[in-house]
Amino acid sequence: MDNEKKPTTIQTVDRAFQILEIISARGPLNLGDLHAEIKVNKASLLRLLQTLTENGYLERNEQTKEYALTLRLYETGISAVQRQDRSSIINTMLTRLSQETGRIAQYSIEDNNELLCIQSIGPEGPAFSFYTNAGTRSPLYCTSAGKAILASYSNAQIMEKWETLNVRPLTEHTITDVHRLLADVSRIRSRQYALDLEENEYGVFCIGAIVRERSGQIGAVSISGKTMTEAEEAQLSEKLLPTVRLLSGMLGSP
């Protein structure tokens, strides 16, 4: 049995983090507001606030006497993220999405006018669908990730690319007319995500949205499963859109 005592935390450091978390959650606060939240005498609290301010984590409004967060924490977090491997960042986000939705989560890019899946995580396994496996290629025009990427182009660019996409019907739901695709693209731009409702493969339903990377490359995150009711579409989009915004930021998009 290990009889070593667990090291105690440093109370002033604990309180400094508490201050940052409270201001992060509630916005700018003055000394009195913080004193009501943190049960410590005002003199000690003021010293903590002055220390955080001098180190660049807080700034004090001289008119309102309120303390607000600076961008120092954001810069520190971004610096830490940028030291991480890109693949590891994507993997972490896909894992979280898959766990939260119980579906396959993928990250794909455009390559030679096709959709290339580079990372895939989920519970279904290879038997669910070949095209949800990492390393496989799929059409841009009938997959949620592919259509989301196409929607990042102008209509004129899509029209120009159309002849290079080798368009053919893969199911009865596949869009094979460029004008129907452009109508779908308009909806994608409006709601910020694309749907594949058995357009690429029977029994496979997907929702996808783009990720913009610092390099200028556009990728897409998609979530695949066996159903897509209106309620499921709403629930999945609520998970997907914050994820792609966060991932874009983590991969360096302004």
Side-chain angles (χ1 to χ4, degrees):
M1 182 176 178
D2 190 352
N3 292 322
E4 290 186 9
K5 293 182 177 180
K6 183 179 179 180
T8 57
T9 60
I10 300 173
Q11 191 176 57
T12 52
V13 176
D14 287 339
R15 285 173 175 163
F17 283 125
Q18 191 177 2
I19 289 169
L20 295 174
E21 289 171 357
I22 290 171
I23 294 176
S24 174
R26 295 186 49 188
L29 297 171
N30 60 33
L31 179 62
D33 295 328
L34 286 163
H35 180 256
E37 292 281 343
I38 303 173
K39 306 307 179 184
V40 61
N41 68 72
K42 284 189 176 181
S44 296
L45 183 56
L46 183 58
R47 286 196 296 272
L48 283 168
L49 291 169
Q50 289 172 336
T51 300
L52 290 168
T53 301
E54 289 174 6
N55 281 278
Y57 291 96
L58 293 179
E59 59 185 2
R60 184 172 184 263
N61 185 311
E62 294 302 324
Q63 293 183 330
T64 65
K65 311 302 181 185
E66 292 178 329
Y67 292 87
L69 294 180
T70 66
L71 292 176
R72 184 70 180 272
L73 284 174
Y74 172 79
E75 292 167 352
T76 301
I78 288 296
S79 178
V81 165
Q82 290 176 347
R83 287 195 297 272
Q84 294 184 44
D85 176 72
R86 170 180 174 274
S87 179
S88 176
I89 293 171
I90 294 171
N91 186 76
T92 297
M93 302 303 287
L94 294 182
T95 299
R96 189 174 76 177
L97 257 186
S98 180
Q99 290 173 344
E100 290 178 350
T101 64
R103 300 187 178 214
I104 295 174
Q106 302 164 254
Y107 191 79
S108 305
I109 61 172
E110 180 182 353
D111 183 65
N112 291 326
N113 291 321
E114 291 182 306
L115 186 71
L116 173 62
C117 176
I118 59 174
Q119 287 176 248
S120 179
I121 293 175
E124 300 288 358
F128 171 61
S129 169
F130 173 76
Y131 105 93
T132 58
N133 298 330
T136 58
R137 292 176 179 270
S138 305
L140 290 170
Y141 61 90
C142 59
T143 55
S144 65
K147 290 195 293 181
I149 290 172
L150 283 175
S152 70
Y153 290 100
S154 69
N155 284 4
Q157 289 172 318
I158 294 172
M159 293 281 286
E160 186 177 339
K161 286 176 70 69
W162 186 251
E163 298 302 322
T164 70
L165 298 182
N166 189 28
V167 177
R168 62 194 188 281
L170 299 177
T171 76
E172 64 181 303
H173 307 293
T174 306
I175 296 174
T176 57
D177 177 79
V178 67
H179 298 290
R180 284 187 59 208
L181 180 68
L182 290 176
D184 196 18
V185 161
S186 178
R187 291 188 290 269
I188 292 166
R189 291 171 181 154
S190 175
R191 67 191 176 208
Q192 299 179 23
Y193 64 83
L195 294 172
D196 164 8
L197 304 178
E198 296 186 298
E199 295 170 42
N200 184 57
E201 184 177 346
Y202 287 114
V204 178
F205 297 80
C206 307
I207 181 171
I210 62 168
V211 171
R212 298 181 185 273
E213 300 190 27
R214 179 172 57 250
S215 64
Q217 177 170 279
I218 294 178
V221 173
S222 56
I223 306 170
S224 303
K226 298 177 180 178
T227 59
M228 185 71 70
T229 64
E230 288 186 7
E232 288 171 334
E233 177 187 337
Q235 292 166 358
L236 291 171
S237 65
E238 288 178 0
K239 298 287 185 183
L240 178 65
L241 293 179
T243 297
V244 295
R245 285 194 289 267
L246 178 59
L247 189 51
S248 292
M250 295 176 77
L251 295 179
S253 176

